[in-house]
């Protein structure tokens, strides 16, 4: 590839034409293509969410029938989880930035990287095909035996998720190899940027947990196609076994989503406080601790399923333990701000939003991990609010922070910073408007996945739905800011924020080979005391 | 006997519906403790963050950080150890309450519940009685529900009692509660079970001891009301309204409006007239003559409705022209 590449030309200009993108082995182009597809997924999932919230304005039918509503909430969940949140930060920003941050020219297996992109695309196409084949209505959890008896396209959707899993595994394998073998000379494990640590922890979970999902989904497909009788009680199977299998992957998957977001937080806080991270080792170890413990908490999704009291006790205990490394990270970020030189930019606002919303998600997560409290709150809107505070208030805020922070590096363009700050404030308001009221509604007893509801809950639903319009407007504004930047943005300098990690030492956008000369690392990644700002 | 179902939203406090079960106050108390401790910690973190942002805001472009402290072992031990202790207290406390919440006292009175798409079948073994979507219990008596499902997963949730339990086909699961005051309380299905999931709701009627005795003597039937009015009542109380509209709207099942004496196109290709016998058969054994365009999802009501109930429903359908 790039036979005529000139070492001073940006990777955009190194080669041209549609084929130069489709056949590219460049991690930056692959990362950008991932970013485009992932944003498309977010758009589709987000519009579905807006549609759901609109329908919930009234307990009567507005636009959707019960069945259509069930299909749309299932798709909203499946699209957001499998097409957006899981690949979001690792596949898009991880691909683009991991080699830059560790001083490498590419990932360890560039061809595998391109393959994982194509597999992701295939999986996404299968999910889209499933929508047209009688869109699935089981909830993204596919619980049996409902998913066995549903007359919708369960098999196609499940196979789509199965294929997407391989994309995730391949990216994970690639990152592990890259981090082990491709770090620049002098970059020991503890001189590596913390974003890379979080990608490493994430990759371990991806590689170890995703095969379990693959097996589970295959068994479900077999159950539907030839009735093997593993999960179907009518054939002597056990639906609770399916719940165990499903969450054995899907709970670690929550950490596949949140760990890279936490990684982004470290980059944001150090750059915008011009200060070394507080407690580097504790943060790195806590990523690994979270990855390890995340494998043994899945049972907290089954507290009212009929799982034994003893199992419930163990899973509750371990769930509390996983809260500790998460809390440590939050305290370390706060401590990093102490005596810093804090620059309040749009990406830093998203850092602050993450701290705020992730903490709300964390505290309510502790409530849900408490056995006696979970019995009442399980499967109500309280849970819906909780996981949106973690997934959207956490992961999406970090994703937006990353998008703003690395945008100048990735595109070579600046965006309108005052407008972006305004949009960030609007997102904060809109998000809390939609979801805070759902805590109250849930603890009052409103069950989730309800198409219609008792009239007494309508005021809560109306408040939440109006909030969804604010949030939608905020996201449209963010989209406008970036589209405008692409068309009219000022050229970005190499280091617009004053960052220290290696990506800020090279041109914006980077050249095809990233580094003219592979750097030699002597300092800690965020050592603002001793290192000059490039 | 109060007939009004108690509102979840209007009664109770801002977080919880009225505490009507013996365990509810314990659950609410632990929630309050957890929440207030969380609020205190959260607000403290928020204020610290806000203070840092204001105090250390960059005022000149090249301003450097005032200090580069990167470690403080004592501080880090403190904020690892203190959350650990708090969480362990919460764990032990909530587990202790949980055991009380799920282990029924040995003298609990047993009621059987069968959940199916999309209704609750309630059977009182000692009274030899069956009912739909309504559980009648005496106040201040431990009640144990032994539950199973016939089709997919369901979950029985009574918010006022703070109890919930999944119901699984081919298996019994149990749930117990003791109502501490008379009243009519909401009951929900909280495990997604398909199109009618959000309408799979019922009530728990808690009666004072004298009212309960009266209810036992009276039985469930009221012979005095006219047939079509009985049918109108049963339309709601037997959950027909989950799937059949009375205004012509197409739902999971065919509408009842204009049903009587109309021609029905069956899946077998046959065309039959919806007369008394057809409707009776379609209630008792719904799968025998399926109208084309609808799924075979209706449960058989054989044994669940008396002859007078069925007559009542037919009479009611006749009024819907």
């Amino acid at each position: 590839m790039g036979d005529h590449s000139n070492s001073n030309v940006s990777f955009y200009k190194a080669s041209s034409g549609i084929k130069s993108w489709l056949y590219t082995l460049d991690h930056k182009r692959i990362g950008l293509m991932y970013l485009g597809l992932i944003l498309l997924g977010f758009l589709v999932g987000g519009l579905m969410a807006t549609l759901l919230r609109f329908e919930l304005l009234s307990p009567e039918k507005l636009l959707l029938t019960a069945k259509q509503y069930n299909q749309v909430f299932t798709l909203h969940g499946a699209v957001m989880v499998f097409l957006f949140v899981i690949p979001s930060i690792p596949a898009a920003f991880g691909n683009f930035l991991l080699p830059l941050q560790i001083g490498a020219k590419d990932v360890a297996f560039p061809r595998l990287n391109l393959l994982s992109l194509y597999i992701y695309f295939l999986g996404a196409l299968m999910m889209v095909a499933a929508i047209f084949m009688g869109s699935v209505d089981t909830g993204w959890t596919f619980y049996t035996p409902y998913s066995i008896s549903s007359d919708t396209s369960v098999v196609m959707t499940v196979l789509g998720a199965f294929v997407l899993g391989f994309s995730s595994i391949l990216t994970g394998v690639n990152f592990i190899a890259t981090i082990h073998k491709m770090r620049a000379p002098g970059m020991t494990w503890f001189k590596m940027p913390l974003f890379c640590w979080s990608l490493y922890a994430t990759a371990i979970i991806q590689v170890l947990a995703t095969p379990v999902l693959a097996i589970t989904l295959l068994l479900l497909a077999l159950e539907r196609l030839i009735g093997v009788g593993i999960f179907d009680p009518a054939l002597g199977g056990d639906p609770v076994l399916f719940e165990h299998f499903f969450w054995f992957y899907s709970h670690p998957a929550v950490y596949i989503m949140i760990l890279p977001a936490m990684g982004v937080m470290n980059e944001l806080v150090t750059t915008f406080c011009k200060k070394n991270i507080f407690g580097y080792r504790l943060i790195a170890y806590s990523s690994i601790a979270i990855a390890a413990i995340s494998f043994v908490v899945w049972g907290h999704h089954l507290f009212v399923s009929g799982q034994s009291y003893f199992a419930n006790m163990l899973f509750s205990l371990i769930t509390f333990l996983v809260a500790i490394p998460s809390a440590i990270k939050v305290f370390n970020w706060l401590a990093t701000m102490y005596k810093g030189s804090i620059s309040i930019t749009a990406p830093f606002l998203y850092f602050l939003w993450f701290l705020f919303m992730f903490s709300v998600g964390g505290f309510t997560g502790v409530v849900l991990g408490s056995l006696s409290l979970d019995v009442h709150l399980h499967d109500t809107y309280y849970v819906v609010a909780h996981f949106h505070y973690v997934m959207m208030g956490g992961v999406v805020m970090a994703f937006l922070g990353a998008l703003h922070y690395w945008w100048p590096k990735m595109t070579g363009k600046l965006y309108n910073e005052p407008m972006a700050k305004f949009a960030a404030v609007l997102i904060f308001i809109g998000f809390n408007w939609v979801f805070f009221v759902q805590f109250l509604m849930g603890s009052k007893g409103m069950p989730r996945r309800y198409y219609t509801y008792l009239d007494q809950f309508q005021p809560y639903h109306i408040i939440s739905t109006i909030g969804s319009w604010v949030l939608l407007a905020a996201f449209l504004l963010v989209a406008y800011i970036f589209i405008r930047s692409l068309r009219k943005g000022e050229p970005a300098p190499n280091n617009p924020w004053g960052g220290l990690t290696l990506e800020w030492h090279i041109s914006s956008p980077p050249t095809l080979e990233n580094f003219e000369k592979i750097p030699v690392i002597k300092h800690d990644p965020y050592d603002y005391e001793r290192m000059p700002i490039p | 006997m109060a007939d009004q179902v108690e509102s979840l939203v209007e009664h109770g406090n801002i977080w919880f519906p009225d505490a009507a079960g013996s365990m509810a106050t314990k659950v609410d108390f632990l929630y309050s403790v957890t929440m207030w401790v969380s609020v205190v910690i959260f607000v403290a973190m928020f204020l610290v963050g806000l203070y840092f942002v204001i105090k250390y805001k960059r005022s000149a472009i090249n301003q450097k950080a005032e200090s580069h402290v990167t470690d403080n072992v004592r501080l880090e031990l403190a904020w690892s150890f203190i959350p650990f202790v708090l969480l362990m207290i919460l764990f032990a406390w909530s587990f202790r309450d949980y055991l009380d919440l799920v282990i029924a006292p040995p003298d609990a009175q047993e009621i059987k519940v069968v959940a199916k798409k999309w209704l609750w079948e309630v059977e009182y073994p000692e009274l030899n009685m069956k009912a739909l979507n309504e559980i009648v219990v005496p106040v201040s008596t431990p009640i144990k529900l032994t539950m199973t499902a016939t089709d997919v997963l369901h979950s029985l949730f009574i918010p006022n009692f703070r109890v919930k339990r999944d119901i699984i086909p081919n298996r019994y699961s149990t749930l117990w509660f003791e109502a501490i005051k008379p009243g009519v309380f909401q009951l929900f299905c909280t495990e997604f079970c398909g199109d009618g999931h959000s309408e799979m709701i019922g009530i728990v009627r808690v009666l004072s001891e004298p009212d309960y005795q009266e209810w036992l003597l009276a039985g469930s039937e009221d012979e005095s009301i006219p047939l079509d009015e009985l049918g109108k009542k049963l339309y709601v109380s037997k959950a027909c309204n989950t799937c059949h509209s009375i205004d012509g709207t197409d739902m999971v099942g065919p509408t009842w409006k204009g049903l009587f004496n109309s021609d029905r196109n069956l899946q077998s290709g046959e065309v039959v007239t919806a007369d008394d016998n057809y409707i009776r058969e379609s209630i008792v054994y719904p799968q025998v003559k399926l109208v084309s365009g609808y799924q075979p999802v209706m449960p058989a009501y054989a044994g669940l409705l008396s002859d007078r109930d069925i007559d009542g429903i037919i009479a009611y359908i006749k009024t819907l022209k």
Side-chain angles (χ1 to χ4, degrees):
Chain A
M1 56 170 296
D3 5 316
H4 304 292
S5 67
N6 179 331
S7 61
N8 291 323
V9 170
S10 88
F11 73 96
Y12 289 103
K13 294 182 180 148
S15 53
S16 60
I18 183 82
K19 278 190 183 169
S20 76
W21 284 85
L22 294 181
Y23 297 148
T24 186
L25 299 180
D26 181 7
H27 68 98
K28 299 181 288 298
R29 288 189 173 203
I30 291 172
L32 283 177
M33 286 190 279
Y34 258 122
L35 183 63
L37 290 171
I38 283 162
L39 287 173
L40 199 63
F42 185 62
L43 177 71
V44 172
L47 289 177
M48 283 171 177
T50 320
L51 180 61
L52 292 170
R53 284 285 3 138
F54 183 81
E55 180 60 45
L56 289 170
L57 267 178
S58 159
E60 307 295 325
K61 178 188 169 187
L62 294 177
L63 294 173
L64 305 170
T65 63
K67 177 141 193 152
Q68 287 165 339
Y69 177 85
N70 297 340
Q71 290 169 321
V72 175
F73 85 63
T74 300
L75 279 170
H76 164 69
V79 166
M80 284 298 196
V81 169
F82 294 115
L83 295 180
F84 174 68
V85 195
I86 288 177
S88 64
I89 296 176
F93 297 109
N95 256 318
F96 198 101
L97 287 148
L98 175 61
L100 300 185
Q101 286 204 327
I102 62 171
K105 294 191 170 183
D106 209 317
V107 292
F109 310 114
R111 278 182 186 78
L112 203 63
N113 204 16
L114 184 65
L115 179 65
S116 84
L117 174 71
Y118 278 107
I119 292 176
Y120 171 83
F121 190 62
L122 176 69
L125 280 185
M126 289 170 74
M127 286 210 151
V128 172
I131 297 177
F132 293 102
M133 290 165 63
S135 181
V136 65
D137 72 339
T138 60
W140 80 280
T141 44
F142 307 116
Y143 272 14
T144 56
Y146 186 76
S147 55
I148 299 170
S149 60
S150 168
D151 59 352
T152 55
S153 59
V154 175
V155 172
M156 193 62 176
T157 312
V158 154
L159 290 179
F162 174 79
V163 168
L164 286 168
F166 283 94
S167 163
S168 190
I169 293 171
L170 294 185
T171 301
V173 169
N174 216 339
F175 284 4
I176 291 174
T178 307
I179 290 169
H180 270 276
K181 304 305 287 184
M182 315 254 313
R183 280 171 288 131
M187 184 177 280
T188 57
W189 281 89
F190 290 108
K191 286 197 167 58
M192 192 164 70
L194 284 162
F195 181 56
C196 304
W197 267 103
S198 75
L199 290 175
Y200 185 71
T202 309
I204 291 173
I205 313 181
Q206 283 176 309
V207 170
L208 294 180
T210 317
V212 180
L213 177 75
I215 293 163
T216 311
L217 296 180
L218 263 196
L219 286 176
L220 175 59
L222 286 177
E223 190 87 0
R224 271 186 75 98
L225 295 170
I226 57 171
V228 279
I230 293 169
F231 303 129
D232 188 352
L235 302 170
D238 184 354
V240 180
L241 180 67
F242 178 84
E243 295 180 31
H244 279 287
F245 278 6
F246 182 82
W247 287 110
F248 190 91
Y249 164 75
S250 294
H251 198 82
V254 171
Y255 294 91
I256 293 179
M257 307 177 204
I258 198 73
L259 277 169
M262 291 170 157
V264 169
M265 294 287 284
N266 300 313
E267 306 303 310
L268 297 179
V269 72
T270 48
T271 297
F272 294 105
C273 297
K274 280 200 186 172
K275 194 161 165 270
N276 202 344
I277 191 89
F278 186 90
Y280 176 99
R281 280 183 187 237
L282 205 55
I283 292 181
Y285 287 137
S286 68
S287 289
I288 302 299
I290 289 173
I293 303 173
S294 76
F295 278 97
V296 280
V297 298
W298 81 89
H300 67 216
H301 295 269
L302 285 80
F303 281 166
V304 301
S305 71
Q307 161 175 271
S308 76
Y309 303 149
F310 180 65
N312 278 348
M313 181 197 77
L314 285 181
F315 283 120
S316 171
L317 180 67
I318 303 167
T319 301
F320 284 139
L321 294 182
V322 86
I324 295 165
S326 308
I328 289 173
K329 282 175 186 270
V330 171
F331 294 136
N332 279 354
W333 293 323
L334 274 178
T336 303
M337 288 159 67
Y338 174 69
K339 291 198 171 176
S341 165
I342 301 178
S343 161
I344 301 167
T345 57
F348 191 72
L349 284 180
Y350 287 111
F351 164 84
L352 295 175
W353 299 171
F354 178 110
L355 273 191
F356 187 97
M357 268 102 91
F358 179 73
S359 300
V360 174
F363 281 117
T364 52
V366 165
V367 166
L368 290 169
S370 312
L371 278 166
S372 64
L373 303 181
D374 180 71
V375 170
H376 176 69
L377 298 168
H378 197 92
D379 273 335
T380 66
Y381 265 75
Y382 194 93
V383 175
V384 176
H386 157 72
F387 70 71
H388 279 94
Y389 265 87
V390 178
M391 291 296 107
M392 190 161 180
V395 182
V396 176
M397 292 309 124
F399 180 84
L400 287 172
L403 192 60
H404 287 78
Y405 179 59
W406 282 306
W407 180 266
K409 181 57 60 187
M410 296 195 302
T411 62
K413 300 276 177 67
L414 292 175
Y415 61 84
N416 186 330
E417 177 67 22
M419 217 194 279
K421 273 197 240 181
F422 175 73
V425 171
L426 207 55
I427 285 204
F428 181 81
I429 295 170
F431 174 83
N432 287 290
W433 194 334
V434 179
F435 291 107
F436 191 79
V437 69
Q438 297 187 2
F439 283 121
L440 298 172
M441 175 162 45
S443 62
K444 273 288 192 182
M446 170 80 210
R448 65 190 284 208
R449 295 177 168 176
Y450 262 32
Y451 164 65
T452 179
Y453 51 82
L454 301 179
D455 292 341
Q456 50 184 297
F457 287 110
Q458 195 172 15
Y460 296 99
H461 280 293
I462 291 177
I463 293 172
S464 184
T465 300
I466 295 174
S468 75
W469 300 332
V470 177
L471 193 55
L472 179 69
F475 274 112
L476 291 177
L477 183 58
V478 172
Y480 169 77
I481 290 166
F482 285 123
I483 292 168
R484 189 165 175 270
S485 159
L486 279 182
R487 297 181 56 195
K488 297 184 187 162
E490 303 269 312
N494 290 349
N495 190 6
W497 311 116
L500 276 191
T501 43
L502 292 176
E503 76 270 29
W504 304 111
H505 294 242
I506 57 174
S507 60
S508 298
T511 59
L512 181 64
E513 306 263 282
N514 300 342
F515 300 92
E516 270 176 56
K517 213 168 62 185
I518 292 299
V520 177
I521 311 301
K522 297 193 183 71
H523 292 283
D524 291 344
Y526 314 109
D527 193 351
Y528 276 92
E529 198 175 359
R530 292 182 196 82
M531 260 165 79
I533 295 170
Chain B
M1 260 190 243
D3 240 16
Q4 193 69 32
V5 184
E6 192 181 290
S7 167
L8 297 167
V9 172
E10 280 161 34
H11 295 83
N13 58 32
I14 184 172
W15 285 102
F16 289 107
D18 193 20
S22 58
M23 282 300 298
T25 38
K26 273 194 188 178
V27 172
D28 298 4
F29 181 62
L30 179 57
Y31 184 82
S32 298
V33 172
T34 312
M35 187 188 70
W36 284 113
V37 172
S38 302
V39 166
V40 168
I41 299 172
F42 182 81
V43 169
M45 283 163 53
F46 177 79
L47 291 177
V48 167
L50 191 67
Y51 175 76
F52 287 171
V53 168
I54 295 168
K55 168 98 178 166
Y56 304 118
K57 190 167 184 264
R58 196 179 298 171
S59 44
I61 289 178
N62 291 324
Q63 188 183 323
K64 292 192 167 176
E66 284 175 38
S67 150
H68 288 275
V69 56
T70 55
D71 284 291
N72 184 327
V73 177
R74 275 192 190 174
L75 200 60
E76 288 173 83
L77 275 178
W79 70 44
S80 310
F81 188 68
I82 295 171
F84 174 76
V85 172
L86 291 176
L87 287 168
M88 287 306 105
I89 294 171
L90 177 59
F91 161 71
W93 188 343
S94 71
F95 180 57
R96 198 199 60 185
D97 280 359
Y98 170 76
L99 291 179
D100 292 340
L101 193 62
V102 290
I103 298 177
D107 60 338
Q109 194 174 313
E110 197 179 346
I111 297 176
K112 292 201 180 300
V113 173
V114 178
K116 49 175 86 163
K117 287 195 253 179
W118 290 282
L119 52 83
W120 306 95
E121 220 176 277
V122 181
E123 191 182 346
Y124 303 86
E126 285 161 32
L127 308 174
N128 196 21
M129 253 172 58
K130 274 189 177 181
L132 277 184
N133 290 351
E134 178 176 348
I135 304 176
V136 180
V137 297
V139 72
S140 304
T141 311
I143 306 289
K144 181 175 159 187
L145 303 182
T146 301
M147 310 178 290
T148 190
T150 58
D151 38 36
V152 298
L153 299 178
H154 299 280
S155 186
L156 189 141
F157 175 36
I158 310 168
N160 291 97
F161 301 160
R162 320 285 189 263
V163 291
K164 180 182 291 125
R165 181 63 195 262
D166 285 3
I167 308 174
I168 301 158
N170 281 1
R171 195 188 289 189
Y172 293 113
S173 36
T174 59
L175 171 156
W176 87 276
F177 59 83
E178 181 180 332
I180 54 172
K181 58 170 92 168
V184 185
F185 303 104
Q186 206 75 54
L187 178 158
F188 293 116
C189 176
T190 45
E191 187 63 70
F192 180 69
C193 57
D195 297 355
H197 171 54
S198 60
E199 289 174 271
M200 188 167 162
I201 58 183
I203 53 172
V204 180
R205 189 184 295 278
V206 180
L207 300 177
S208 65
E209 197 50 42
D211 284 347
Y212 185 68
Q213 292 305 329
E214 198 182 309
W215 177 81
L216 285 180
L217 290 174
S220 60
E221 273 189 61
D222 186 350
E223 296 279 346
S224 63
I225 66 169
L227 275 178
D228 55 342
E229 272 178 41
L230 173 66
K232 190 174 180 179
K233 261 177 86 174
L234 294 171
Y235 171 67
V236 178
S237 68
K238 301 294 180 188
C240 315
N241 61 343
T242 311
C243 305
H244 301 282
S245 77
I246 51 172
D247 60 0
T249 315
D250 201 24
M251 293 166 72
V252 175
T255 182
W256 284 3
K257 190 183 178 180
L259 170 64
F260 190 72
N261 262 342
S262 66
D263 285 342
R264 315 301 289 165
N265 298 313
L266 302 187
Q267 283 179 3
S268 57
E270 223 180 318
V271 178
V272 297
T273 303
D275 56 9
D276 291 69
N277 271 321
Y278 167 81
I279 295 179
R280 183 187 175 87
E281 184 184 45
S282 296
I283 294 171
V284 183
Y285 300 111
Q287 322 301 359
V288 176
K289 294 200 176 102
L290 271 177
V291 175
S292 69
Y294 296 95
Q295 298 294 316
V297 290
M298 179 165 159
Y301 276 70
L304 286 171
L305 295 171
S306 68
D307 283 344
R308 189 172 147 79
D309 288 344
I310 295 171
D311 290 346
I313 290 171
I314 295 172
Y316 178 55
I317 291 176
K318 285 179 183 171
T319 67
L320 302 167
K321 291 184 179 131

